[in-house]
mmCIF file of all heavy atoms in Angstrom:
data_model
loop_
_atom_site.group_PDB
_atom_site.id
_atom_site.type_symbol
_atom_site.label_atom_id
_atom_site.label_comp_id
_atom_site.label_asym_id
_atom_site.label_seq_id
_atom_site.Cartn_x
_atom_site.Cartn_y
_atom_site.Cartn_z
ATOM 1 N N PHE T 2 222.385 71.806 55.576
ATOM 2 C CA PHE T 2 221.701 71.698 56.860
ATOM 3 C C PHE T 2 220.323 72.337 56.798
ATOM 4 O O PHE T 2 219.380 71.856 57.406
ATOM 5 C CB PHE T 2 222.549 72.346 57.956
ATOM 6 C CG PHE T 2 222.100 71.993 59.343
ATOM 7 C CD1 PHE T 2 222.274 70.712 59.828
ATOM 8 C CD2 PHE T 2 221.497 72.927 60.142
ATOM 9 C CE1 PHE T 2 221.861 70.367 61.099
ATOM 10 C CE2 PHE T 2 221.069 72.591 61.421
ATOM 11 C CZ PHE T 2 221.259 71.316 61.890
ATOM 12 N N SER T 3 220.178 73.403 56.026
ATOM 13 C CA SER T 3 218.885 74.093 55.934
ATOM 14 C C SER T 3 217.822 73.235 55.253
ATOM 15 O O SER T 3 216.641 73.492 55.385
ATOM 16 C CB SER T 3 219.035 75.421 55.205
ATOM 17 O OG SER T 3 219.325 75.209 53.843
ATOM 18 N N ARG T 4 218.236 72.194 54.547
ATOM 19 C CA ARG T 4 217.281 71.285 53.895
ATOM 20 C C ARG T 4 217.136 69.962 54.654
ATOM 21 O O ARG T 4 216.598 68.995 54.127
ATOM 22 C CB ARG T 4 217.751 71.006 52.466
ATOM 23 C CG ARG T 4 217.757 72.227 51.570
ATOM 24 C CD ARG T 4 218.095 71.874 50.130
ATOM 25 N NE ARG T 4 219.351 71.154 49.985
ATOM 26 C CZ ARG T 4 220.523 71.702 49.674
ATOM 27 N NH1 ARG T 4 220.612 72.988 49.472
ATOM 28 N NH2 ARG T 4 221.606 70.969 49.561
ATOM 29 N N SER T 5 217.611 69.906 55.899
ATOM 30 C CA SER T 5 217.622 68.639 56.637
ATOM 31 C C SER T 5 216.267 68.291 57.258
ATOM 32 O O SER T 5 216.145 67.264 57.928
ATOM 33 C CB SER T 5 218.698 68.667 57.716
ATOM 34 O OG SER T 5 218.411 69.660 58.678
ATOM 35 N N ALA T 6 215.280 69.112 57.053
ATOM 36 C CA ALA T 6 213.899 68.809 57.461
ATOM 37 C C ALA T 6 212.981 69.384 56.394
ATOM 38 O O ALA T 6 213.329 70.378 55.745
ATOM 39 C CB ALA T 6 213.584 69.433 58.816
ATOM 40 N N PRO T 7 211.836 68.787 56.169
ATOM 41 C CA PRO T 7 210.905 69.350 55.181
ATOM 42 C C PRO T 7 210.505 70.777 55.570
ATOM 43 O O PRO T 7 210.216 71.041 56.734
ATOM 44 C CB PRO T 7 209.707 68.417 55.236
ATOM 45 C CG PRO T 7 210.197 67.166 55.877
ATOM 46 C CD PRO T 7 211.310 67.575 56.785
ATOM 47 N N ALA T 8 210.487 71.668 54.603
ATOM 48 C CA ALA T 8 210.094 73.052 54.874
ATOM 49 C C ALA T 8 208.596 73.144 55.157
ATOM 50 O O ALA T 8 208.150 74.082 55.804
ATOM 51 C CB ALA T 8 210.464 73.946 53.693
ATOM 52 N N HIS T 9 207.833 72.168 54.685
ATOM 53 C CA HIS T 9 206.400 72.169 54.957
ATOM 54 C C HIS T 9 205.877 70.733 55.030
ATOM 55 O O HIS T 9 206.436 69.828 54.420
ATOM 56 C CB HIS T 9 205.630 72.943 53.881
ATOM 57 C CG HIS T 9 205.690 72.296 52.540
ATOM 58 N ND1 HIS T 9 206.746 72.460 51.681
ATOM 59 C CD2 HIS T 9 204.841 71.447 51.922
ATOM 60 C CE1 HIS T 9 206.538 71.752 50.583
ATOM 61 N NE2 HIS T 9 205.396 71.125 50.705
ATOM 62 N N SER T 10 204.825 70.563 55.796
ATOM 63 C CA SER T 10 204.127 69.278 55.850
ATOM 64 C C SER T 10 202.664 69.562 56.164
ATOM 65 O O SER T 10 202.320 70.573 56.781
ATOM 66 C CB SER T 10 204.742 68.351 56.902
ATOM 67 O OG SER T 10 204.653 68.919 58.183
ATOM 68 N N LEU T 11 201.824 68.662 55.705
ATOM 69 C CA LEU T 11 200.388 68.820 55.866
ATOM 70 C C LEU T 11 199.767 67.452 56.088
ATOM 71 O O LEU T 11 200.199 66.468 55.478
ATOM 72 C CB LEU T 11 199.797 69.465 54.611
ATOM 73 C CG LEU T 11 198.279 69.551 54.524
ATOM 74 C CD1 LEU T 11 197.879 70.901 53.960
ATOM 75 C CD2 LEU T 11 197.708 68.450 53.655
ATOM 76 N N SER T 12 198.776 67.375 56.952
ATOM 77 C CA SER T 12 197.989 66.148 57.082
ATOM 78 C C SER T 12 196.522 66.532 57.225
ATOM 79 O O SER T 12 196.183 67.534 57.858
ATOM 80 C CB SER T 12 198.445 65.302 58.272
ATOM 81 O OG SER T 12 198.154 65.932 59.483
ATOM 82 N N LEU T 13 195.686 65.742 56.597
ATOM 83 C CA LEU T 13 194.243 65.932 56.654
ATOM 84 C C LEU T 13 193.634 64.577 56.977
ATOM 85 O O LEU T 13 193.835 63.607 56.240
ATOM 86 C CB LEU T 13 193.722 66.460 55.314
ATOM 87 C CG LEU T 13 192.229 66.741 55.225
ATOM 88 C CD1 LEU T 13 191.807 67.806 56.226
ATOM 89 C CD2 LEU T 13 191.868 67.175 53.812
ATOM 90 N N LEU T 14 192.930 64.495 58.096
ATOM 91 C CA LEU T 14 192.368 63.240 58.568
ATOM 92 C C LEU T 14 190.864 63.385 58.727
ATOM 93 O O LEU T 14 190.394 64.319 59.374
ATOM 94 C CB LEU T 14 192.997 62.854 59.914
ATOM 95 C CG LEU T 14 192.475 61.587 60.583
ATOM 96 C CD1 LEU T 14 192.794 60.355 59.741
ATOM 97 C CD2 LEU T 14 193.059 61.449 61.981
ATOM 98 N N ALA T 15 190.114 62.475 58.108
ATOM 99 C CA ALA T 15 188.655 62.442 58.249
ATOM 100 C C ALA T 15 188.291 61.135 58.953
ATOM 101 O O ALA T 15 188.719 60.055 58.542
ATOM 102 C CB ALA T 15 187.977 62.509 56.895
ATOM 103 N N ILE T 16 187.531 61.259 60.023
ATOM 104 C CA ILE T 16 187.112 60.102 60.812
ATOM 105 C C ILE T 16 185.590 60.067 60.827
ATOM 106 O O ILE T 16 184.946 61.071 61.132
ATOM 107 C CB ILE T 16 187.634 60.189 62.256
ATOM 108 C CG1 ILE T 16 189.154 60.345 62.266
ATOM 109 C CG2 ILE T 16 187.203 58.973 63.073
ATOM 110 C CD1 ILE T 16 189.711 60.780 63.599
ATOM 111 N N GLN T 17 185.034 58.902 60.484
ATOM 112 C CA GLN T 17 183.579 58.746 60.448
ATOM 113 C C GLN T 17 183.187 57.540 61.294
ATOM 114 O O GLN T 17 183.701 56.441 61.092
ATOM 115 C CB GLN T 17 183.087 58.561 59.014
ATOM 116 C CG GLN T 17 181.603 58.370 58.876
ATOM 117 C CD GLN T 17 180.814 59.608 59.294
ATOM 118 O OE1 GLN T 17 181.110 60.705 58.851
ATOM 119 N NE2 GLN T 17 179.816 59.426 60.149
ATOM 120 N N ARG T 18 182.293 57.765 62.244
ATOM 121 C CA ARG T 18 181.737 56.662 63.020
ATOM 122 C C ARG T 18 180.421 56.251 62.372
ATOM 123 O O ARG T 18 179.570 57.096 62.076
ATOM 124 C CB ARG T 18 181.531 57.090 64.477
ATOM 125 C CG ARG T 18 182.841 57.165 65.240
ATOM 126 C CD ARG T 18 182.646 57.461 66.725
ATOM 127 N NE ARG T 18 181.893 58.672 67.026
ATOM 128 C CZ ARG T 18 182.378 59.904 66.939
ATOM 129 N NH1 ARG T 18 183.621 60.102 66.544
ATOM 130 N NH2 ARG T 18 181.628 60.947 67.235
ATOM 131 N N PHE T 19 180.271 54.958 62.161
ATOM 132 C CA PHE T 19 179.079 54.404 61.519
ATOM 133 C C PHE T 19 178.272 53.622 62.553
ATOM 134 O O PHE T 19 178.780 53.274 63.622
ATOM 135 C CB PHE T 19 179.479 53.484 60.359
ATOM 136 C CG PHE T 19 180.244 54.170 59.278
ATOM 137 C CD1 PHE T 19 181.616 53.994 59.163
ATOM 138 C CD2 PHE T 19 179.607 55.000 58.360
ATOM 139 C CE1 PHE T 19 182.328 54.621 58.158
ATOM 140 C CE2 PHE T 19 180.308 55.632 57.358
ATOM 141 C CZ PHE T 19 181.674 55.447 57.257
ATOM 142 N N PRO T 20 177.028 53.277 62.233
ATOM 143 C CA PRO T 20 176.234 52.446 63.144
ATOM 144 C C PRO T 20 176.903 51.097 63.399
ATOM 145 O O PRO T 20 177.753 50.652 62.633
ATOM 146 C CB PRO T 20 174.905 52.265 62.395
ATOM 147 C CG PRO T 20 174.831 53.420 61.443
ATOM 148 C CD PRO T 20 176.258 53.720 61.067
ATOM 149 N N ARG T 21 176.507 50.472 64.478
ATOM 150 C CA ARG T 21 176.976 49.140 64.886
ATOM 151 C C ARG T 21 178.475 49.108 65.193
ATOM 152 O O ARG T 21 179.157 48.121 64.925
ATOM 153 C CB ARG T 21 176.630 48.092 63.839
ATOM 154 C CG ARG T 21 175.136 47.940 63.645
ATOM 155 C CD ARG T 21 174.831 46.786 62.752
ATOM 156 N NE ARG T 21 173.423 46.800 62.425
ATOM 157 C CZ ARG T 21 172.937 46.326 61.309
ATOM 158 N NH1 ARG T 21 173.725 45.799 60.405
ATOM 159 N NH2 ARG T 21 171.639 46.372 61.080
ATOM 160 N N ASP T 22 178.994 50.224 65.686
ATOM 161 C CA ASP T 22 180.390 50.308 66.150
ATOM 162 C C ASP T 22 181.434 50.137 65.048
ATOM 163 O O ASP T 22 182.534 49.655 65.303
ATOM 164 C CB ASP T 22 180.645 49.313 67.285
ATOM 165 C CG ASP T 22 179.939 49.727 68.556
ATOM 166 O OD1 ASP T 22 179.940 50.934 68.870
ATOM 167 O OD2 ASP T 22 179.381 48.844 69.244
ATOM 168 N N TYR T 23 181.107 50.536 63.848
ATOM 169 C CA TYR T 23 182.096 50.590 62.772
ATOM 170 C C TYR T 23 182.680 51.999 62.713
ATOM 171 O O TYR T 23 181.980 52.987 62.954
ATOM 172 C CB TYR T 23 181.464 50.253 61.416
ATOM 173 C CG TYR T 23 181.206 48.795 61.202
ATOM 174 C CD1 TYR T 23 179.963 48.236 61.495
ATOM 175 C CD2 TYR T 23 182.200 47.967 60.701
ATOM 176 C CE1 TYR T 23 179.708 46.894 61.301
ATOM 177 C CE2 TYR T 23 181.955 46.618 60.498
ATOM 178 C CZ TYR T 23 180.715 46.091 60.799
ATOM 179 O OH TYR T 23 180.485 44.764 60.599
ATOM 180 N N THR T 24 183.952 52.096 62.385
ATOM 181 C CA THR T 24 184.624 53.388 62.219
ATOM 182 C C THR T 24 185.497 53.320 60.978
ATOM 183 O O THR T 24 186.138 52.304 60.710
ATOM 184 C CB THR T 24 185.528 53.700 63.433
ATOM 185 O OG1 THR T 24 184.746 53.674 64.616
ATOM 186 C CG2 THR T 24 186.185 55.071 63.299
ATOM 187 N N GLY T 25 185.532 54.417 60.236
ATOM 188 C CA GLY T 25 186.410 54.518 59.076
ATOM 189 C C GLY T 25 187.195 55.813 59.154
ATOM 190 O O GLY T 25 186.720 56.824 59.683
#
């Protein structure tokens, strides 16, 4: 039961808005 969820998680999100309404 102690291993029934990840002990750690990480997310890194980079969002860039470009000219002419483009986004990445």
Side-chain angles (χ1 to χ4, degrees):
F2 194 70
S3 69
R4 296 186 305 263
S5 64
H9 66 277
S10 61
L11 173 139
S12 68
L13 181 61
L14 177 65
I16 304 166
Q17 179 65 50
R18 285 185 304 284
F19 299 104
R21 297 188 189 151
D22 290 319
Y23 283 94
T24 303

